[in-house]
Amino acid sequence: MSALNRLVNRIIDRVNVNLREPGFDVGPYVRGVIPWAKFSRFYAFYGLTFHHPLHFHFEHSSIAGSYFLGKCIVDHSVLYKSDIRGDELKARGDVFHHSGLEIPLHDDEVIRIKDSFLVKNLVHNHSHDPENPEEFLIQNIVSLHYANIHGSPVEGSFLGPFSTVDLTTLHDCVIGTFAYVQAGELAHHFVPDGRIWIRYGDVFDFCYQFPEEVLKRYVYLNPGEAPKGIFMDFVERRKPDFEKVFDMVECKPAVAAAHGAALSRYAVVRGQTRVSENVLVAQRAYLEDAWLGVGSNAQENCYIIRSSLQGKNITAHGGKVINARLGEGVFVGFNAFLHGTPECHLGIGKGSIIMPHTIIDLKEPLEVPPDHLVWGYIQDAKDLAEHSLPLAVMSTCEGEFRRGAMRFEGSGSRFVSGFQHRLEHILEANGAYFDGSKKKGHAQKGQHIAFNIIQPYPEGPMKGLYPTIDICP
Amino acid sequence: MSALNRLVNRIIDRVNVNLREPGFDVGPYVRGVIPWAKFSRFYAFYGLTFHHPLHFHFEHSSIAGSYFLGKCIVDHSVLYKSDIRGDELKARGDVFHHSGLEIPLHDDEVIRIKDSFLVKNLVHNHSHDPENPEEFLIQNIVSLHYANIHGSPVEGSFLGPFSTVDLTTLHDCVIGTFAYVQAGELAHHFVPDGRIWIRYGDVFDFCYQFPEEVLKRYVYLNPGEAPKGIFMDFVERRKPDFEKVFDMVECKPAVAAAHGAALSRYAVVRGQTRVSENVLVAQRAYLEDAWLGVGSNAQENCYIIRSSLQGKNITAHGGKVINARLGEGVFVGFNAFLHGTPECHLGIGKGSIIMPHTIIDLKEPLEVPPDHLVWGYIQDAKDLAEHSLPLAVMSTCEGEFRRGAMRFEGSGSRFVSGFQHRLEHILEANGAYFDGSKKKGHAQKGQHIAFNIIQPYPEGPMKGLYPTIDICP
């Protein structure tokens, strides 16, 4: 048995021992899901800049196709085409504020991935876990295609495909396919497929459940296979465009980025695309006939196609926007799928918030009014009415409130202001407000970046594994 | 002043303190010779295989465009487009035989480059220095374009462009432009430009001096500039072909290599080229309409153009063969320039030895008979008569012997047998005799190789320097 095979088995055992209480076996979801040959076919790469603190350490791992930025330690793990973006790691001496406590960091924060198996994941952290501020830990995790691990450490858990764990520390949990969780901390919890759940202590609790038959059309999972459905068809169809981009050591951008903007050379750019001032386009973003207005950002695994974004638009990790016009400040959450067609165009008014994991897949033209909160599954105006609320109305909600398969409880104003506060932070962090010298963010810091390309052993018993690599200043 | 600028000054100071006795200042030859911008334009790369012991350590160095294989430690050095090929390093437990002594190695041998400035150099070692068998040290060295450091450590020295130091330990020496030295050990020695010198203790001494006016046409050096002349024009003209090869992460070979052969993806291959069984084509070799017969090899910085090599041909580092037909077993030494034209074709009979740094630049067709030793500068049959000898005749020489600008002293038979013995070793080491399972050499061990690509800091005070990188199994 190859060293890589032994490593995969070892990870399965470690995750299973964590999940013994729900009695969940991750083995069938891991074995065979990536053909062995692929682990030695794709290179890993990491970014080198003058701005980001530097420490990479890879040990006894397979990291094919994966990208790293910042301080990352990976051991005894399999990361396949994943993005580990440590550009919001805290630095030694920073003070972490939590519940009135001030916690100064005695060392630079690092992302540490240990005994885990991540496929096409996005890991990004502006860490919100106060318990171990120097280490953002991902340990004993199996996390499948296009899952997002965002802002909090996770351990002993299984994350289904297209799921998102956002600002939620996990211990021994199972997160279902396309489930979205933002809940602070969870232990021994099972989140069903297609559950959208945002809870902030006793302050508010938002919950939406996708109908099973709808979800199955978009994504479903057979053990031992890659997920299937509309989402996978959509990304797989565009894979050849990425292959061209990855084949070159250097890659001239197809369009010029405006002042203060960063356009990753690992993004696909096609057609009449405009990258305006202070825009961030991350690696693995896909732009085709896309107008990105000032201060917008297109994050990892985004697809923006035949669409215009008027400015200060956030398209979060995995968000897809097709045949749409987004007003200023529209937010599109993680893994949202906004699918207009040339005949059924989608318009979204300024300031509206498209919740993470929203599916808008139109059978008629649709205009979302400004300043609305939108969630769930929407095909037409009738669906929109059942799956949206003006933010102003939402802000007046107190107590319990139901609309269709959505249930809200608590303070609507805290929910809305919390969201808006976070969006402001995202814009700031991404450099949307850069004035030419001050308020630098990721867009400006990512402009001068070199990418180092590393490969695994091409043959022999270690085939597919990487040697031990340590990079520091 | 940038960190890179400070590093270069530091190297100059260290080399100069070694060369204070000849009173040689390397500064003018180093400053400005590579434009600053180039240090951050080219990536470095290292080879990863199952066969070669692995340890790379790069620290406070600029290694733009350089290649590494085996165990290499580089600190406080500038390596520009150099090849550091550690595929003949000895392993822990190997026994080094020297003058009847048996010296077992207590650790794997490493190539260590320290406080040195190497431009487009080739470093290859089958180390012959018994004094420090675990470390092949290159320290306090300035070595200019296309110099070869082969088989022995060097320290405190300046190597001119296109010079070769072969099996010669240097202490505080100046080696002139296009000089070739194979002399065991030298200290505080000045070898003039265009001097070809092979000495083996009291056994033999071969010496040839290129005429100054001839040498100047082929290569000359103005301080602070790249060397000029026919050699540089020749390689610079073919640079764009290499750029294409280096731009791709993976590169499909233009031709298929036969069984047991290794064709580097960093070689240029054009036209009707044939790579036969057990052939080794190293990175930075250039093949155009080249027929490489069974067991031949084309080493780093080789150019083989419109030529056929019948088999078991060695074209050593930097050898150039144009419009020629080489019989079986013909050896072409380091940096030799064999330049026929379509009208003035060059034939070389089987078993002939073209000494390192030989220039054959024809103004009429020429046939070198089989089993001849050839040296010096040759344009026609008359020159050939003055610059060659049948090996059988050479083997009978005893005492002093002169022919033109060549002077030989000592045992001709020892000289010829020493040469032939070494050529056999080179063929063996390169895998020319591989039988499908046994007698593996570089050609077979280099077949499954992955290349990792590393870049320097793209901006900021460390621009052009690499972070500290350590790679081990």
Side-chain angles (χ1 to χ4, degrees), chain B residues 160 188 244:
Chain B
H188 298 274
K244 285 178 218 153

Side-chain angles (χ1 to χ4, degrees), chain B residues 283-465:
Chain B
Q283 76 289 348
R284 277 191 258 261
Y286 185 102
L287 307 178
E288 182 179 347
D289 296 321
W291 172 283
L292 299 187
V294 175
S296 295
N297 62 70
Q299 301 179 11
E300 289 82 354
N301 302 314
C302 263
Y303 293 74
I304 300 177
I305 298 172
R306 292 183 297 281
S307 295
S308 73
L309 286 65
Q310 294 303 304
K312 297 195 189 119
N313 296 86
I314 299 162
T315 309
H317 313 285
K320 294 164 196 79
V321 178
I322 305 107
N323 290 303
R325 184 180 34 73
L326 274 52
E328 193 170 295
V330 166
F331 167 78
V332 175
F334 291 96
N335 285 351
F337 186 69
L338 311 190
H339 189 229
T341 67
E343 297 74 38
C344 305
H345 209 263
L346 172 65
I348 303 183
K350 75 177 181 51
S352 278
I353 293 174
I354 311 300
M355 297 264 295
H357 292 219
T358 297
I359 299 177
I360 304 182
D361 198 358
L362 295 183
K363 52 186 192 185
E364 63 179 40
L366 185 74
E367 284 292 324
V368 175
D371 300 313
H372 270 56
L373 182 77
V374 180
W375 64 87
Y377 179 58
I378 295 165
Q379 291 185 287
D380 52 26
K382 181 172 157 290
D383 290 342
L384 176 65
E386 274 176 26
H387 297 86
S388 67
L389 261 187
L391 291 171
V393 172
M394 186 73 196
S395 292
T396 62
C397 290
E398 272 299 328
E400 198 178 321
F401 173 84
R402 286 176 188 267
R403 176 166 288 205
M406 187 276 272
R407 191 186 65 89
F408 182 81
E409 203 176 350
S411 163
S413 78
R414 289 288 297 276
F415 179 82
V416 170
S417 68
F419 234 117
Q420 288 173 331
H421 178 81
R422 187 165 174 207
L423 302 188
E424 269 311 295
H425 159 74
I426 295 172
L427 288 172
E428 265 174 40
N430 282 299
Y433 300 118
F434 178 60
D435 64 1
S437 63
K438 285 194 293 286
K439 300 187 182 170
K440 274 191 184 172
H442 303 320
Q444 293 77 40
K445 292 178 184 172
Q447 282 172 6
H448 296 288
I449 184 163
F451 295 98
N452 288 359
I453 291 176
I454 52 178
Q455 311 259 14
Y457 288 101
E459 276 300 327
M462 299 286 279
K463 182 173 177 175
L465 285 175

Side-chain angles (χ1 to χ4, degrees), chain A residues 312-324:
Chain A
K312 296 195 190 118
N313 295 87
I314 299 163
T315 310
H317 314 285
K320 294 163 196 80
V321 178
I322 305 108
N323 289 303

Side-chain angles (χ1 to χ4, degrees), chain A residues 454-473:
Chain A
I454 53 178
Q455 311 260 13
Y457 287 102
E459 276 301 326
M462 300 286 279
K463 182 173 176 175
L465 285 174
Y466 284 64
T468 302
I469 302 178
D470 191 273
I471 299 113
C472 58

